[in-house]
Amino acid sequence: ARARSEDDANTAQQVEREINVITQRAYDLWAEAEAADKRGDRVAAAGMWGDIAHMIDGPHGIYACLRAGNAFLNEEGLQDRAHVALRFLEAAVRAGSARGHYLLGCAYFEGNGVPADYELAVYHLQQAAEGGEIDAHGRLGLAYMNGNGVPKDPSEGVRHWKLAAQSDARVEETGELLR
């Protein structure tokens, strides 16, 4: 029994050392991804964010999923990898990320990397708004104003735009309507 507990302790120590090595590598890679972003090498940064997302969990892993997903959807030279972006964004959504819902909603709203699907877009945007993602209200306002994925309802559209504006959100869709 004593030999078994020593083996268990050694195994636990080995696992802890391996976790520490992986965590340190993830944070080193994080610094490299930030540096690549700063120098404008978004393609390299996207790959690094993806690697980080596979290495760590929790808020930092979610953040890495969002950075990778957004880059794979929007960066020049990476749009043909939208399926990769969707996997990262869906992982962020499964982890409870309102921002992940917002980015997926935008992708479906615009048909960015996926076929446009207004109903799915509205679902994700509503989840994002309920999760506190203020930018989602701007997109929801646009959906209600135009009847994209929801019945056309200008008063509901204006309500969402006002929610976005009251929170000092940067919502381009509101235009002159609120001035």
Side-chain angles (χ1 to χ4, degrees), residues 114-151:
V114 294
D117 183 333
Y118 291 126
E119 289 179 12
L120 194 52
V122 167
Y123 166 78
H124 283 292
L125 293 169
Q126 287 172 334
Q127 295 298 308
E130 289 172 13
E133 188 63 41
I134 299 303
D135 289 341
H137 286 290
R139 294 292 177 123
L140 284 169
L142 186 61
Y144 279 101
M145 293 300 284
N146 295 322
N148 298 123
V150 291

Side-chain angles (χ1 to χ4, degrees), residues 37-102:
D37 269 338
K38 284 181 183 171
R39 70 175 179 269
D41 190 354
R42 306 269 191 270
V43 173
M48 290 179 218
W49 289 119
D51 290 345
I52 295 165
H54 286 104
M55 297 169 90
I56 56 177
D57 293 323
H60 292 114
I62 294 169
Y63 179 80
C65 282
L66 295 173
R67 293 287 300 263
N70 193 42
F72 279 107
L73 274 180
N74 297 307
E75 290 303 326
E76 188 69 34
L78 292 176
Q79 294 93 345
D80 63 334
R81 304 184 81 196
H83 63 285
V84 175
L86 294 178
R87 283 200 325 252
F88 284 117
L89 295 177
E90 288 165 353
V93 163
R94 283 192 303 277
S97 171
R99 187 69 178 174
H101 275 293
Y102 173 71

